[in-house]
Amino acid sequence: MKKYLVGIDVGGTKCAVILGQSRSNQDGTDDFAFVDRKCFATNTYNGPEQVIGRLIAMVQEMLDRFEVNREDVMSIGISCGGPLDHKRGIIKNPPNLCGWDDVPIVQRFEEHFGIPTYLQNDANACALAEWKYGAAKGCENVVFLTFGTGLGAGLILNGRLYNGANDMAGEVGHIRLENSGPVGYGKAGSFEGFCSGGGIAQLAKLKVLEKLQMGIHPEFCPDLQSLEGLTAQSVASAAKNGDKLAREIYADCGHYMGRGLSILIDILNPEMIVIGSIYERSGDLMNEALYAALQEESLAISRNVCRIVPAKLGNSIGDYATMSVALHGGID
């Protein structure tokens, strides 16, 4: 009998429902194949009840369309930004889901479908995906960094997903690297401030403003009117086209990435650090400064056993994350 998995990706901008079919490999490991995917704009102002109701309806429609009975679904996996309580299945007012206060999302799905349902923090779910199916497959001690709009981490320690005392493990973006600097995670000079999409944009605006006030007009941002439109992506494009200032901005980001990674390497002693999103696309602009900082800041004996690699699952990592939570449960 065919067995299916359902994945739910809950985000502040969009939500997605994924249907997958589980399969067993010859080596004894479990795997899956994607069957279908649908998404919609979250519109958080509608509140959790309407969004969850739409997710439930979308799951049911997908099951009906592919003629999948509920008893043929092994489990449902939900990936969502924290804070949350994965053991109780409750979302606890993430910053990108305003008004989602103590929402018992797992209970809602289990009551409606009668299918075991699991919830995980999105960074943890992505760490699980890269560990099981991506760059870190076969490793025992892994740090996964999101490095997108913000900076969060998922930790695989001694072959287990590590959640911490109350699901707050991996909030590395809150580490302060300097007394002042770009603001991230509500803290100036934080790891997230220097190493995130928003942080790179802040760095760029500061450096470009200095140039403009000196009468120098960078090609990628020639005037004050262009300043607000600066993004990590636009700076990366300029850097890859050889713009000196843009390359300096990414080198600064790389330096602080190296300093932050040094802390993780010295404390956690991972064999691999997998970095997603911006690093996948623009790691070449950071690596020289990143590795120089690692050389200065981290213990050689720990640094030498740790590989730093871009995430392998690319834009599909969110889908893999939900399937991983469904297939592997809460990983407790």
Side-chain angles (χ1 to χ4, degrees):
M1 182 180 294
K2 294 180 180 179
K3 291 292 184 180
Y4 291 85
L5 302 162
V6 172
I8 308 291
D9 189 357
V10 181
T13 303
K14 64 179 176 63
C15 292
V17 173
I18 303 98
L19 181 64
Q21 185 175 331
S22 67
R23 59 193 180 192
S24 296
N25 299 318
Q26 290 183 345
D27 61 3
T29 60
D30 294 322
D31 200 351
F32 58 86
F34 291 113
V35 175
D36 196 23
R37 181 184 192 276
K38 297 291 183 183
C39 64
F40 62 88
T42 308
N43 295 332
T44 55
Y45 54 81
N46 288 328
E49 289 305 311
Q50 183 169 332
V51 175
I52 292 172
R54 188 169 181 185
L55 285 168
I56 288 172
M58 188 171 284
V59 170
Q60 187 61 61
E61 184 276 331
M62 197 174 285
L63 296 180
D64 292 343
R65 183 154 42 89
F66 287 91
E67 299 182 344
V68 176
N69 296 321
R70 294 182 184 183
E71 53 268 28
D72 290 334
V73 179
M74 294 170 58
S75 55
I76 297 170
I78 304 172
S79 171
C80 181
L84 52 77
D85 185 331
H86 86 280
K87 290 183 178 179
R88 297 169 59 213
I90 293 173
I91 297 172
K92 302 172 71 175
N93 197 18
N96 64 340
L97 293 170
C98 186
W100 288 53
D101 301 314
D102 296 321
V103 177
I105 190 167
V106 165
Q107 179 183 335
R108 288 290 311 279
F109 276 86
E110 289 189 335
E111 286 180 348
H112 186 89
F113 291 105
I115 297 169
T117 302
Y118 305 99
L119 172 68
Q120 265 296 347
N121 174 289
D122 54 0
N124 289 353
C126 289
L128 184 59
E130 283 289 342
W131 178 41
K132 292 293 186 180
Y133 309 107
K137 190 173 182 179
C139 295
E140 290 290 306
N141 294 281
V142 180
V143 176
F144 171 81
L145 295 180
T146 56
F147 195 15
T149 304
L151 184 74
L155 308 175
I156 307 295
L157 303 178
N158 293 331
R160 296 180 66 84
L161 180 64
Y162 181 72
N163 289 286
N166 65 342
D167 281 297
M168 289 300 289
E171 298 296 339
V172 301
H174 199 245
I175 296 170
R176 192 186 296 280
L177 299 179
E178 292 284 7
N179 289 331
S180 62
V183 178
Y185 213 135
K187 182 185 284 186
S190 65
F191 197 176
E192 183 173 297
F194 285 106
C195 299
S196 64
I200 292 171
Q202 290 179 62
L203 274 173
K205 289 171 185 176
L206 287 170
K207 287 186 173 291
V208 169
L209 185 58
E210 287 179 353
K211 297 295 184 184
L212 291 175
Q213 290 179 346
M214 294 171 64
I216 300 170
H217 301 272
E219 187 174 340
F220 67 95
C221 186
D223 50 46
L224 288 173
Q225 287 71 33
S226 307
L227 203 60
E228 287 306 309
L230 280 176
T231 64
Q233 186 173 358
S234 65
V235 178
S237 296
K240 290 178 180 180
N241 287 328
D243 186 276
K244 183 179 178 182
L245 179 60
R247 293 185 72 85
E248 287 176 5
I249 292 164
Y250 265 85
D252 282 352
C253 177
H255 169 77
Y256 285 103
M257 176 61 77
R259 289 187 60 180
L261 295 186
S262 295
I263 294 170
L264 301 179
I265 287 171
D266 286 354
I267 293 174
L268 299 175
N269 191 203
E271 63 201 279
M272 182 177 287
I273 297 175
V274 182
I275 312 177
S277 194
I278 293 172
Y279 188 76
E280 289 176 59
R281 301 187 296 270
S282 306
D284 58 316
L285 300 173
M286 307 175 205
N287 278 336
E288 183 177 351
L290 187 160
Y291 281 99
L294 278 180
Q295 194 77 20
E296 293 176 359
E297 298 289 340
S298 63
L299 288 167
I301 193 170
S302 300
R303 179 178 69 246
N304 291 340
V305 299
C306 181
R307 288 191 294 148
I308 298 166
V309 301
K312 186 177 179 180
L313 300 178
N315 293 333
S316 298
I317 192 168
D319 296 348
Y320 273 92
T322 65
M323 290 285 102
S324 300
V325 174
L327 187 56
H328 300 284
I331 312 294
D332 288 319

